[in-house]
Amino acid sequence: MIEILATGPLATIQDLGRPGLAELGVGVSGAADTRSFTLANRLVGNAESAAALELTLGGLAVRFTEHTVVAVTGAPCPLRLAGRAVDMCGPICVAPGQRLDIGTPSCGLRSYVAVRGGIGVEPVLGARATDQLSGLGPPPVTAGQALPVGNAVTGMPAVDHAPQPACHEEPELTVVAGPRHDWFLPEALELLGSVPFEVTPRSNRVGLRLHGPALHRSSAAELAPEPLVAGALQVPPDGQPILFLADHPVTGGYPVIGVVTAADLPLAAQARPGQRVRFRPSEPRGSRCA
């Protein structure tokens, strides 16, 4: 078991989510930064889909009841095991009774804690992911809780450290034209690719609510609900875009001006309130000279 002593602002159990259920109104959910999440699992010899802890702004303290191996990835945090400093992005061997304390990250937003075997809570609709929008999955982790360890193990990796990605002060996110980009004035499309947008405090795992120059429409028509994907940049009537993340709804009624590529969504998941992001329009195929 893992004994939860403190959780920080928010700690949830995540895996790779519930794909394939959108027709039932169920979103994928899962880890917001899948790159850091899967790395944590690989470092402890888990299957990449094993459930782990996702922390928002650190603050977790846990005690282990048996010998095991853990790894912490994502937003860089100070770590102390039994009072001694240890490193992120590598396997950490822990003994029974030892306590791991995770501080506040120096940059970024979300960190991941994987334990060998994974978190063994009961799956809901085939996944152990906490979906904050729908309420599916296990509730957020609380102090005093004991979490079971599962058996989702593979062979241990032959590495003792993985390179830690650098923090991005102003992440640049590649965006492709959305299904309703023609609902916007040409100036809106130019603004999207030329000025930064600030992440507001109203952001969460559902999406980043952004503030910047208003993206004005060329049409005032109403839009019937349409399917949404992670990375969609939906624009409400006020012209301030919302970048949808892991817990996004499956449909929406506002036009989508663009979609951030899956490769850049981990950067968006690490953006803090007050930080600015930029959008880089994807070049159409064949636009470069050979």
Side-chain angles (χ1 to χ4, degrees), residues 80-216:
R80 300 192 73 83
L81 177 65
R84 302 183 63 178
V86 291
D87 294 329
M88 291 187 61
C89 294
I92 303 170
C93 295
V94 298
Q98 286 189 322
R99 169 174 170 152
L100 176 67
D101 289 274
I102 301 175
T104 302
S106 56
C107 60
L109 185 65
R110 295 182 171 94
S111 304
Y112 294 87
V113 183
V115 58
R116 183 161 172 79
I119 307 297
V121 296
E122 286 297 316
V124 177
L125 292 180
R128 296 177 171 88
T130 300
D131 186 332
Q132 288 192 293
L133 182 64
S134 69
L136 286 173
V141 176
T142 58
Q145 188 174 2
L147 298 176
V149 176
N151 57 2
V153 297
T154 62
M156 283 294 294
V159 297
D160 56 13
H161 184 75
Q164 187 166 341
C167 289
H168 295 261
E169 183 175 343
E170 192 172 277
E172 191 174 73
L173 311 175
T174 303
V175 60
V176 299
R180 297 296 178 181
H181 70 278
D182 56 343
W183 279 45
F184 294 87
L185 295 171
E187 305 92 271
L189 297 170
E190 292 175 6
L191 279 173
L192 183 64
S194 61
V195 299
F197 289 80
E198 183 176 325
V199 179
T200 75
R202 297 172 62 201
S203 303
N204 52 27
R205 279 180 44 87
V206 176
L208 299 183
R209 289 187 175 270
L210 304 174
H211 178 73
L215 304 178
H216 293 297

Side-chain angles (χ1 to χ4, degrees), residues 4-12 53-62 77 99-105 109 140-144:
I4 306 298
L5 307 177
T7 63
L10 177 67
T12 60
L53 295 175
E54 179 182 275
L55 315 181
T56 301
L57 291 176
L60 183 78
V62 294
C77 305
R99 169 174 170 152
L100 176 67
D101 289 274
I102 301 175
T104 302
L109 185 65
V141 176
T142 58

